Amino acid sequence: MSGRQHRETEIARRIRAKGLAAGRTSAQIADEIHEACAPQFSTSRIKAHRLAHGIALADVIEQVRALFDRDQKPQPGIGETLLSAYESGLKRPGPEYLHYLCTVYRVEPVALGFEAPCICGHGHRMPGVLVSDLERRSSMSLERELRMHPMVTEPEAEEDENILRRTLLNLLNTDTNLSEQLDGPVLGACEGIRRRMDETLVSATVSAQMLDQWEETTVSFGRQYTTTAPLRLLCDVLLELSAVRTAMARRQPTDLQERLCRMAAQLAGLSGMILINLGDHRLARAFFRTGRTAADETGDRALRAWICARESLVPLYFGDAREALHLAKKSRDLAGSTPCPAQAMAPVVEARALAMMSGADSKKEVVDQAKRALARARNAFSHMQDEDKEDLAFGYTEKQLYFYQGDVLTKLGQTLEAEVVLDQALSAYEDHILDQTLIRLDQAQCRLLDGDIAEALAIGTKALQLVGNEYLTDFIVRPAQALEQAIVAREPNAPGLEGYRAALRRRPKSQVKGGGA
């Protein structure tokens, strides 16, 4: 120990002894040590807390390792050299290490000299308020942050990511019945990440191995799209999008830049898809625009067509069938003769838009036009690659084709054909509650069109009872309300109507608001 360090330690030891004698807390003693030593020795706040506890670097490391072991995590790479770098200000601890250091010292990050909130969203002042099971379940997100943290330098970007992390951790807490709420901070974080991605795309080296990992993660998110609650998945996807944006902030070799743009387009498009499920059409459109910008950088017609086809679902679900028809045709033109998912998806959207504009009393020419579009979709599907036929998010599957074909026939009033196709679709959707619910609501509409109001209510009520509160967003509520209005128009006092209404209106008051803006 140098003479300078010895004097610093001696001063801290005397302050600690006097503080303990006076009954002060360790946090209060740390403040006094910092105030006394910082001007002379540049003592940081995090070091002041260690000195206030009267322990060595090795003691802190052992406590951190014990906490990792208690939480059944792999032993951390933190050592005395890294902790010394934190104390000297040469490095800043990542979110996970910061959390455990706060746990050791039982203070909040600001007391250690770090303004960002702790990733756990909990207090550290009381003994026992430590890392919880929900944090262990979010270890993948933490590992991604730790991997990318040295590259993150923008305070605004860090704050947006922290908001999403806290939201994700709260959603993972199964002990509380939290509703899915797109509140102001979450919406602001989503918009901030999307806006910075736009800025990077118009202004922008990462290793090939890291790109491989990101591409695998992006594909994994596509698989989770059918099984994970929307807001939970949105947080994960946007954290990954933010990491990709950070890498793109510095110009990369052409081949790597193209791969990054492809991932950015896919992640932005997936974010838009999730936001459709959450009922925020404004933010969904914004993410699709970002996705288009990224896709344009790749020159990939199939990717650009996929983004456009997915974007067409926004006006389709939120009341502008004509714009949906326009975007679907644009997607078809972008795809050209390239066999790709958009070639099958775009004609289906065309058919659905035509059916929406004409209604159940469709004229024969409209029915024929919609059916021709469905035939084009089936033909395009037969020429798609096998891997695209198994990808629900970035490809187009047979069960999606069944579902949307049944939806079109329902809206056209072709109930006999629709019920056969919808039965096939429902048997195929075993792991996607959102589409299961929409299929059942279409089945209820078919029964209503056939005049069987009681059966329509029974099917509709069962559909709403099977879906959990976390999925009962405006994406589901809109068609459910349309079914209710159609039933009321036929028989205002239909038996079973009150039960249906009770299932529909059970949402907590804090549930997602419709439409976004």
Side-chain angles (χ1 to χ4, degrees), residues 90-103:
L90 294 176
K91 290 187 177 182
R92 174 194 171 98
E96 189 172 35
Y97 285 166
L98 179 58
H99 165 75
Y100 281 105
L101 290 170
C102 288
T103 302

Side-chain angles (χ1 to χ4, degrees), residues 38-270:
Q40 185 177 356
F41 306 106
S42 300
T43 306
S44 63
R45 289 191 177 276
I46 186 172
K47 185 175 183 179
H49 277 273
R50 179 172 62 80
L51 296 173
H53 282 261
I55 56 179
L57 290 167
D59 297 315
V60 179
I61 299 303
E62 287 304 318
Q63 289 188 44
V64 170
R65 288 174 178 168
L67 289 170
F68 268 76
D69 184 63
R70 182 207 62 187
D71 294 326
Q72 300 176 7
K73 291 186 175 184
Q75 281 297 298
I78 189 172
E80 292 184 31
T81 302
L82 185 57
L83 182 56
S84 179
Y86 295 158
E87 292 187 350
S88 64
L90 294 176
K91 290 187 177 182
R92 174 194 171 98
E96 189 172 35
Y97 285 166
L98 179 58
H99 165 75
Y100 281 105
L101 290 170
C102 288
T103 302
V104 169
Y105 295 128
R106 294 176 182 171
V107 294
E108 305 311 312
V110 67
L112 299 181
F114 306 107
E115 295 297 329
C118 185
I119 191 172
C120 72
H122 298 167
H124 297 274
R125 298 182 188 278
M126 297 297 293
V129 184
L130 304 175
V131 67
S132 62
D133 179 63
L134 62 91
E135 291 176 80
R136 289 195 292 275
R137 291 163 60 186
S138 67
S139 59
M140 288 181 61
S141 296
L142 290 171
E143 289 168 4
R144 284 198 306 274
E145 165 58 22
L146 290 171
R147 195 168 65 237
M148 291 304 302
H149 183 77
M151 300 174 67
V152 177
T153 59
E154 302 174 21
E156 185 179 302
E158 288 189 53
E159 176 59 23
D160 285 344
E161 292 177 8
N162 283 331
I163 289 172
L164 292 174
R165 290 190 193 95
R166 289 196 299 272
T167 302
L168 177 61
L169 289 169
N170 286 335
L171 289 169
L172 289 171
N173 188 350
T174 56
D175 295 330
T176 57
N177 186 21
L178 294 174
S179 62
E180 296 225 87
Q181 184 177 11
L182 281 175
D183 56 15
V186 175
L187 286 170
C190 294
E191 178 63 21
I193 287 176
R194 187 201 65 80
R195 176 175 48 79
R196 282 188 293 276
M197 174 56 78
D198 274 348
E199 293 169 355
T200 301
L201 285 167
V202 298
S203 68
T205 136
V206 65
S207 70
Q209 182 180 9
M210 181 65 73
L211 282 174
D212 290 342
Q213 294 176 3
W214 280 339
E215 287 171 342
E216 291 172 6
T217 303
T218 300
V219 172
S220 173
F221 287 149
R223 290 194 295 265
Q224 294 175 48
Y225 174 67
T226 64
T227 58
T228 305
L231 188 52
R232 158 83 184 279
L233 183 58
L234 181 65
C235 292
D236 274 332
V237 170
L238 289 183
L239 287 172
E240 200 72 15
L241 180 64
S242 185
V244 171
R245 185 202 70 84
T246 303
M248 294 176 66
R250 291 187 289 273
R251 279 292 176 184
Q252 310 290 343
T254 303
D255 57 333
L256 299 186
Q257 188 75 5
E258 182 176 332
R259 290 174 67 184
L260 285 168
C261 286
R262 172 178 293 279
M263 281 186 286
Q266 290 178 318
L267 291 168
L270 186 56

